[in-house]
Amino acid sequence: EPEVTQTPSHQVTQMGQEVILRCVPISNHLYFYWYRQILGQKVEFLVSFYNNEISEKSEIFDDQFSVERPDGSNFTLKIRSTKLEDSAMYFCASMGGSNQPQHFGDGTRLSIL
Amino acid sequence: AQSVTQPDIHITVSEGASLELRCNYSYGATPYLFWYVQSPGQGLQLLLKYFSGDTLVQGIKGFEAEFKRSQSSFNLRKPSVHWSDAAEYFCAVARSGSARQLTFGSGTQLTVLP
């Protein structure tokens, strides 16, 4: 069964550094998402992306965050200047159509030192 | 804004016993409803979904859920739990529409005793 792939599985970064989290959504899916889960807390929506632009974003998704679909297969989340509170598990998801469910990757655990 | 409540943080059942995990949502219209399962170190796997139609939906691994509009609930059930079902279970809601961000509950951790 096709799946969403995320790399790396664990990223350790110094505070203030830039980090890029990578995702390969399911082929021919049209909608792409990033969520995060701080340890012990709920999974929270960050951003959705459709037709090469952001369709929705949460309050968490401030100017430090950006997303990009640089080619036909990758979907990236960039955090420009990381803070300690950015430490979390980041999940990528993709969806084939508006009447289909979202499929999630295994996540990238981001640790900010 | 939509919200989801999972009132049970942790549930323990014996293998072979039945299971019901509770989920209540708050949303102005009929939402799209989902249950996901997360095993340690893994991502979120979709168990089942409700969009419309029959209010009793069947999912993978023998799970089912029933949408009850009058109670704003979407409880997950399984008649006989297996040890491999031990995991964290998340209920999620989304409004209809193309972008459709998911709002998750805080999760229920399921422990299965031998």
Side-chain angles (χ1 to χ4, degrees):
Chain A
E1 185 177 326
E3 54 184 35
V4 176
T5 305
Q6 291 186 243
T7 55
S9 56
H10 191 186
Q11 173 82 46
V12 181
T13 302
Q14 292 287 332
M15 187 172 59
Q17 295 296 305
E18 175 184 285
V19 66
I20 297 177
L21 308 183
R22 302 181 191 279
C23 171
V24 179
I26 294 173
S27 175
N28 77 17
H29 276 195
L30 302 174
Y31 301 84
F32 313 107
Y33 305 82
W34 284 100
Y35 293 81
R36 79 172 185 190
Q37 184 181 29
I38 295 172
L39 190 63
Q41 298 187 23
K42 294 184 182 186
V43 177
E44 303 171 286
F45 168 77
L46 291 178
V47 65
S48 59
F49 192 86
Y50 171 71
N51 202 25
N52 282 320
E53 61 182 21
I54 290 173
S55 43
E56 280 186 301
K57 58 183 181 179
S58 71
E59 295 171 352
I60 304 167
F61 195 88
D62 61 21
D63 292 344
Q64 293 299 313
F65 291 87
S66 62
V67 290
E68 197 176 35
R69 189 153 162 81
D71 52 42
S73 59
N74 290 283
F75 181 51
T76 61
L77 174 69
K78 185 196 298 189
I79 309 175
R80 247 177 291 282
S81 178
T82 50
K83 308 184 194 69
L84 292 176
E85 54 264 37
D86 294 327
S87 295
M89 180 74 90
Y90 288 81
F91 292 106
C92 174
S94 69
M95 185 171 80
S98 57
N99 278 334
Q100 296 180 27
Q102 294 175 30
H103 295 267
F104 285 77
D106 283 344
T108 293
R109 179 162 297 285
L110 178 63
S111 299
I112 307 301
L113 304 179
Chain B
Q2 62 250 34
S3 66
V4 178
T5 301
Q6 292 181 247
D8 304 304
I9 297 172
H10 195 178
I11 282 185
T12 300
V13 299
S14 297
E15 191 169 18
S18 63
L19 172 70
E20 182 168 25
L21 303 182
R22 296 184 290 165
C23 172
N24 292 96
Y25 67 89
S26 172
Y27 182 61
T30 300
Y32 291 171
L33 295 159
F34 308 84
W35 276 98
Y36 286 85
V37 60
Q38 184 181 31
S39 298
Q42 307 234 324
L44 297 158
Q45 181 183 23
L46 178 72
L47 285 177
L48 45 76
K49 62 187 185 296
Y50 172 80
F51 287 171
S52 65
D54 193 346
T55 56
L56 184 64
V57 293
Q58 302 296 322
I60 63 171
K61 305 184 181 188
F63 285 93
E64 66 177 28
E66 186 171 12
F67 169 56
K68 292 187 178 179
R69 184 191 308 272
S70 61
Q71 298 175 21
S72 297
S73 69
F74 189 57
N75 294 348
L76 182 72
R77 300 193 293 249
K78 186 169 184 177
S80 177
V81 168
H82 187 262
W83 64 266
S84 60
D85 293 326
E88 187 149 27
Y89 291 79
F90 293 93
C91 181
V93 63
R95 65 178 188 273
S96 58
S98 57
R100 217 167 78 216
Q101 59 170 285
L102 292 174
T103 298
F104 285 85
S106 50
T108 297
Q109 182 69 46
L110 174 65
T111 298
V112 181
L113 300 176

